[in-house]
Amino acid sequence: MLERALNGGKLYWTWIGFLLAVFGVGFLFYLQQWNVGLGITGMSRDVSWGFYISQFTFLVGIAASGVMVVLPFYLHDYKAFGRITILGEFLAIPAVIMCVTFIVVDLGQPYRAMNVIFHPSPSSILFYDTIVLNGYLLLNLLVGWTCLHAEKKSIAPPKWVKPFIILSIIWAPSIHTVTAFIYAGIPGKHFWLTAVMAARFLASAFASGPALLLILALIVRKFSKFDPGSEAIQTLGKIVTYCMILNVFLLGLELFTAFYSGIPGHMHAWEYLYAGIDGKGVLVPLMWLSAILAAVSISMLVFPQVRKNETLLAIACVCVFFSLWIDKGFGLVVGGFVPNSFEQVTEYWPTLAEFSIAMGVWALGFLILTVLYKVAVSIKEESGGEAIH
Amino acid sequence: MKIERREFLKLAGLSAIFGLGGTAIAASVQQTPSYIPDPKELTGKRWALVINMDKFKTDADVKRVIEVCHTKHNVPNIPNPKQEVKWIFTEMMENVFPEQQDKYLTEHYKHMPFLTLCNHCANPPCVRVCPTQATFKRKSDGIVMMDMHRCIGCRFCMAGCPYGARSLNWIDPRPYLDPKKINPEFPTRMKGVVEKCTLCYELIAVGKIPACAEASNGAIVFGDLEDPKSEVRKVLAETYTIRRKPELGTRPSVYYVIGGMKDAGKGA
Amino acid sequence: MYNGGKIILGLIVFIGLMAAPFIFGLGKGNAKPNPSIDTPAIKAMEKKQCVEAKAVMKTEHMKMLNDWRDSVVRDGKRLYVATDGKKYDMSLQNTCMKCHSNKAQFCDKCHIYVGAKPYCWDCHIAPKEGA
């Protein structure tokens, strides 16, 4: 089926060329990082995780969010999602691949990465993260590919795939829960040490993921003969709305606990992120941008009339996506490290090389996404789009 | 295969006969090679340090301790503070014990540089989070060790350590070593691995105490926390000591004497 | 054959690329390496004997070094009781290289020949040669 990805117009190839170029630039910078070390990044002794790990964290959410279309379709027989389940599954695949790539580019000794398997350490959350991420990748490849193959032949997917679908539905929240546990179980990092971390992760994932999927569905509709369907898009819009509100609510809970208790360690990171400490606050404008985007998106999304207008809905979803990308794909990780263990402020900002490498990984992800979507959409164009199950 | 084996036995046998003269009969009985600890090794169940900053008379005394440690272990001197590597270093008391911050605290302590290093916790979060057991706790004596050969540089331990005791080699550290001072008996590190104080396990193994304690003129006391007769236990019984962030449940093995000692306060 | 010309051309290019190392290496016979044990410390030895027999060291030294490092770093056992009962401090820098102080002549010769790139020396300090 993959050969269908080789059949595209000028726009398609320009897009592929663009992604390859971004990937190439990132790869060149990665060669530099390989030779010099992580010293070419903006990370430091105090802020020892930065853009790479925050992107990883954000993308685990995107990967997990595929379940938001798979679950209603398979468990509740919600037919409108039949047309886009494959888009959800095929979004999860590049998302997980980006996650793993971000972990690898973040390693100081990448060629020792297999030590995680040679010397398994069940006390480490990364051990479980390796298992759940790779498992989720395999599940989505298996389910997505099998169902699409069946659709190509206009037959129902084989029965044996059903248990794997159910498993992938259970599996999806686990990948983001485990990722949250990376942070939520560390003593001494008050900003992360919170029981609602996993809940917040899932809420923000189920807002940002469907928001991205909605935008992708609109793009697919614009550039192909396959229509994901207005009902599916509207339902996605509702999911984004509820989950975004839930996410902001959980954020509010954090703020309440930190500031009503008045415990300095719990307030410091928030103060640093949104106000700066001792005149140091490179992240302040970004965090406020995230807050404003969140406010704008929610005030748009809560009105059904606004959501009905697909242009406004798309704008609101772009706001949701970038708001959460900043909040989780940047502030959440950096905020945990500032102030440091000595309550001193060391600031972090990614370097050009680091940013380029990260964009290279995104380009790789979008390249895989484009190819997978191209295959899926070309089959959908032929079959009329309805998945049978 | 056969030839190799025959040759091996022949050579091994010959070496035993010719090499050992008088003991030839006993030694000619071939034994399977084995690993044993050095009989000189200091033995303790949980090594600990008690640091009394008041006993450091001058800044130079503090610097000397750092210098001795860092030279002995080929710790590089990287000028960029973001990429520093340090095993033992100073921060002001109000930073080492941020929860004790108080503007009325005696000035003597408030801005006193306190030595800080890996706490060799009894319940170390760094060990818990490490995905490869590159950092691990020695069961025999409680030292939190680093296996630099195994570390993948994921830096989970740096996030996990609540004491800022760990450093990644962001770049190749070798250019930042003073060629005149390199200790040829200890390795350096390579880029991309995390390092920290190992409580001079290499000295303990041959019956010596950690270099910082040795160089401190009695300001740092080293001993076995689980031996009631040890010197650290004596100090802990006689004076008021505190540990860094004990509320986190890490159970640090590094104690700080605050006042209370006969000569407390005379130092500054 | 459909697209026959292109396939054959592709095959030729592929074989050419794969065979390039052999073609360029033709006639440049590599002499078998002969690692030197000509160091002051070894010269001073009455019986020139490594921790184990030469044949064992030749084939097993890499595994041995791996085991040594795990024993020292992870198990805290740093003495090696050899086949002949002699005890050695298990240390690359302080035992192996004290005798084999000629890394370039002893280690590198074979490693370069067989294309092995052990990363020992990224951390472990090689003895100063010619000193």
Side-chain angles (χ1 to χ4, degrees):
Chain A
M1 288 193 287
L2 269 178
E3 74 283 356
R4 287 163 186 264
L6 295 172
N7 215 343
K10 201 174 162 197
L11 192 65
Y12 175 72
W13 288 111
T14 313
W15 170 242
I16 296 280
F18 167 75
L19 290 177
L20 281 173
V22 176
F23 174 75
V25 172
F27 185 76
L28 288 178
F29 276 110
Y30 184 67
L31 288 181
Q32 188 197 4
Q33 183 181 302
W34 181 279
N35 288 325
V36 178
L38 285 165
I40 68 160
T41 70
M43 290 182 276
S44 60
R45 201 179 183 281
D46 290 328
V47 186
S48 47
W49 280 341
F51 204 49
Y52 299 148
I53 289 296
S54 23
Q55 295 299 291
F56 151 78
T57 307
F58 178 75
L59 283 162
V60 176
I62 299 291
S65 72
V67 75
M68 293 312 269
V69 291
V70 175
L71 187 146
F73 178 62
Y74 287 106
L75 295 191
H76 300 280
D77 197 22
Y78 181 64
K79 293 260 171 9
F81 275 173
R83 302 169 78 87
I84 58 165
T85 42
I86 191 70
L87 299 188
E89 284 156 354
F90 278 4
L91 172 60
I93 291 166
V96 179
I97 292 174
M98 282 190 266
C99 291
V100 175
T101 316
F102 269 118
I103 291 279
V104 173
V105 299
D106 187 68
L107 292 181
Q109 286 289 330
Y111 48 86
R112 291 186 190 165
M114 293 304 280
N115 278 2
V116 177
I117 290 151
F118 296 149
H119 308 288
S121 316
S123 68
S124 175
I125 300 295
L126 276 187
F127 170 76
Y128 299 97
D129 223 23
T130 313
I131 295 171
V132 291
L133 280 178
N134 286 302
Y136 193 64
L137 178 63
L138 292 177
L139 279 173
N140 273 285
L141 277 172
L142 181 75
V143 171
W145 206 252
T146 312
C147 292
L148 192 65
H149 212 82
E151 193 175 336
K152 187 185 162 199
K153 292 184 188 158
S154 307
I155 52 168
K159 280 218 170 60
W160 59 262
V161 85
K162 196 76 190 248
F164 289 102
I165 292 170
I166 306 294
L167 183 61
S168 85
I169 289 171
I170 302 165
W171 202 287
S174 84
I175 65 170
H176 217 27
T177 305
V178 172
T179 306
F181 285 175
I182 290 178
Y183 302 98
I186 292 179
K189 298 262 186 289
H190 297 299
F191 187 58
W192 294 343
L193 191 78
T194 159
V196 299
M197 185 64 96
R200 217 179 117 201
F201 267 35
L202 287 169
S204 65
F206 294 157
S208 56
L212 178 61
L213 192 61
L214 192 149
I215 297 162
L216 291 172
L218 290 176
I219 292 172
V220 164
R221 174 198 275 171
K222 194 169 158 65
F223 289 101
S224 81
K225 280 175 272 176
F226 167 59
D227 182 4
S230 297
E231 193 191 333
I233 286 170
Q234 284 303 316
T235 309
L236 275 180
K238 276 181 212 144
I239 292 175
V240 174
T241 310
Y242 279 106
C243 291
M244 188 61 181
I245 292 172
L246 190 58
N247 173 62
V248 171
F249 171 69
L250 289 169
L251 194 85
L253 296 185
E254 298 278 18
L255 287 169
F256 171 79
T257 301
F259 287 92
Y260 193 80
S261 72
I263 298 173
H266 290 263
M267 299 189 291
H268 280 153
W270 297 102
E271 284 166 0
Y272 170 71
L273 289 175
Y274 289 92
I277 295 178
D278 302 335
K280 290 177 178 169
V282 284
L283 262 59
V284 173
L286 214 52
M287 294 314 290
W288 279 107
L289 177 63
S290 168
I292 291 165
L293 286 173
V296 168
S297 66
I298 290 181
S299 47
M300 287 171 80
L301 287 169
V302 286
F303 296 105
Q305 308 91 298
V306 178
R307 284 205 310 268
K308 291 240 163 61
N309 180 330
E310 283 183 357
T311 315
L312 292 177
L313 180 61
I315 292 171
C317 282
V318 169
C319 292
V320 166
F321 184 82
F322 280 102
S323 170
L324 295 175
W325 184 65
I326 295 168
D327 183 46
K328 196 160 143 199
F330 207 150
L332 182 114
V333 170
V334 178
F337 289 103
V338 189
N340 69 7
S341 327
F342 299 99
E343 301 222 338
Q344 298 148 334
V345 176
T346 304
E347 295 214 89
Y348 164 80
W349 192 256
T351 59
L352 175 70
E354 190 177 7
F355 188 76
S356 306
I357 292 171
M359 287 305 114
V361 178
W362 274 95
L364 173 72
F366 270 98
L367 199 65
I368 297 167
L369 180 88
T370 307
V371 167
L372 290 175
Y373 269 34
K374 178 82 182 160
V375 172
V377 165
S378 77
I379 288 171
K380 292 273 184 194
E381 281 173 337
E382 287 167 16
S383 73
E386 293 297 345
I388 309 156
H389 77 118
Chain B
M1 195 57 193
K2 261 186 182 162
I3 295 164
E4 257 179 35
R5 189 179 153 76
R6 204 167 61 204
E7 211 165 52
F8 163 60
L9 289 174
K10 207 163 69 191
L11 281 163
L14 278 176
S15 64
I17 292 161
F18 290 114
L20 294 168
T23 56
I25 300 158
S28 68
V29 179
Q30 298 292 310
Q31 56 184 65
T32 320
S34 59
Y35 310 128
I36 56 167
D38 195 312
K40 295 194 294 290
E41 177 159 29
L42 299 179
T43 49
K45 286 194 180 110
R46 182 178 164 196
W47 295 124
L49 296 174
V50 182
I51 302 177
N52 185 348
M53 288 315 296
D54 284 314
K55 282 200 174 180
F56 288 94
K57 303 297 174 203
T58 60
D59 281 354
D61 290 341
V62 178
K63 283 211 182 85
R64 189 186 60 245
V65 167
I66 298 173
E67 171 81 12
V68 163
C69 166
H70 284 189
T71 316
K72 201 165 204 78
H73 301 112
N74 293 324
V75 176
N77 184 14
I78 298 172
N80 177 355
K82 287 191 163 186
Q83 301 184 347
E84 259 180 325
V85 175
K86 36 194 185 182
W87 286 24
I88 182 167
F89 52 102
T90 57
E91 295 288 348
M92 279 188 287
M93 194 246 179
E94 57 178 10
N95 296 111
V96 175
F97 299 97
E99 64 285 350
Q100 301 289 338
Q101 273 177 21
D102 174 12
K103 70 178 181 182
Y104 306 117
L105 191 75
T106 158
E107 285 295 324
H108 169 70
Y109 281 120
K110 210 191 243 178
H111 301 298
M112 184 189 258
F114 265 54
L115 277 170
T116 172
L117 69 162
C118 170
N119 281 292
H120 296 279
C121 304
N123 181 22
C126 56
V127 169
R128 191 153 69 229
V129 300
C130 177
T132 62
Q133 293 161 43
T135 192
F136 59 97
K137 193 162 179 63
R138 298 215 297 196
K139 284 199 185 71
S140 55
D141 59 7
I143 292 180
V144 175
M145 267 294 284
M146 261 317 292
D147 186 346
M148 252 62 96
H149 305 98
R150 190 181 282 190
C151 174
I152 60 173
C154 73
R155 313 189 294 297
F156 205 170
C157 58
M158 292 174 77
C161 174
Y163 304 108
R166 295 178 159 267
S167 314
L168 178 85
N169 285 280
W170 297 96
I171 44 177
D172 179 10
R174 282 199 170 169
Y176 299 91
L177 289 168
D178 183 347
K180 288 187 290 273
K181 287 188 190 161
I182 286 184
N183 176 8
E185 298 193 342
F186 201 80
T188 67
R189 264 71 60 196
M190 67 201 290
K191 65 167 188 274
V193 294
V194 173
E195 62 179 271
K196 65 166 197 85
C197 154
T198 56
L199 208 62
C200 288
Y201 77 101
E202 81 284 3
L203 295 182
I204 290 175
V206 293
K208 294 179 188 163
I209 66 168
C212 56
E214 176 73 37
S216 69
N217 292 333
I220 302 178
V221 178
F222 167 78
D224 182 5
L225 209 50
E226 295 196 5
D227 174 6
K229 289 194 220 81
S230 72
E231 214 187 329
V232 288
R233 284 288 293 273
K234 246 181 259 166
V235 180
L236 293 180
E238 284 167 7
T239 50
Y240 183 68
T241 53
I242 57 174
R243 292 182 293 175
R244 292 183 65 195
K245 305 183 185 180
E247 74 279 8
L248 299 177
T250 53
R251 287 187 282 145
S253 304
V254 175
Y255 290 77
Y256 293 87
V257 172
I258 300 289
M261 269 210 160
K262 274 177 279 178
D263 44 359
K266 284 182 193 166
Chain C
M1 189 162 40
Y2 181 65
N3 265 350
K6 278 185 195 165
I7 292 172
I8 290 167
L9 189 72
L11 278 174
I12 291 171
V13 170
F14 176 78
I15 292 167
L17 276 176
M18 289 297 117
F22 303 101
I23 295 165
F24 285 111
L26 270 183
K28 291 178 203 158
N30 268 326
K32 217 171 141 191
N34 187 20
S36 157
I37 51 162
D38 187 19
T39 67
I42 298 177
K43 268 186 198 158
M45 288 172 93
E46 227 173 86
K47 167 90 188 73
K48 297 190 190 344
Q49 168 66 58
C50 199
V51 294
E52 294 293 347
K54 185 177 168 187
V56 178
M57 295 312 293
K58 235 181 185 174
T59 55
E60 303 294 323
H61 69 277
M62 50 304 254
K63 190 181 173 300
M64 187 184 239
L65 286 171
N66 261 343
D67 294 344
W68 280 23
R69 102 180 156 197
D70 282 348
S71 174
V72 173
V73 177
R74 306 197 70 90
D75 307 332
K77 294 178 181 168
R78 46 193 317 135
L79 286 189
Y80 179 72
V81 188
T83 311
D84 61 6
K86 274 197 191 173
K87 294 189 182 89
Y88 299 91
D89 182 19
M90 290 189 273
S91 167
L92 178 63
Q93 270 169 250
N94 302 327
T95 303
C96 307
M97 303 313 283
K98 282 278 146 68
C99 283
H100 298 290
S101 52
N102 54 343
K103 171 178 166 281
Q105 292 302 310
F106 185 72
C107 307
D108 297 350
K109 263 198 167 171
C110 281
H111 290 160
I112 292 170
Y113 180 73
V114 299
K117 286 178 191 137
Y119 60 79
C120 311
W121 313 106
D122 287 352
C123 295
H124 290 277
I125 301 169
K128 276 194 191 120
E129 294 198 41

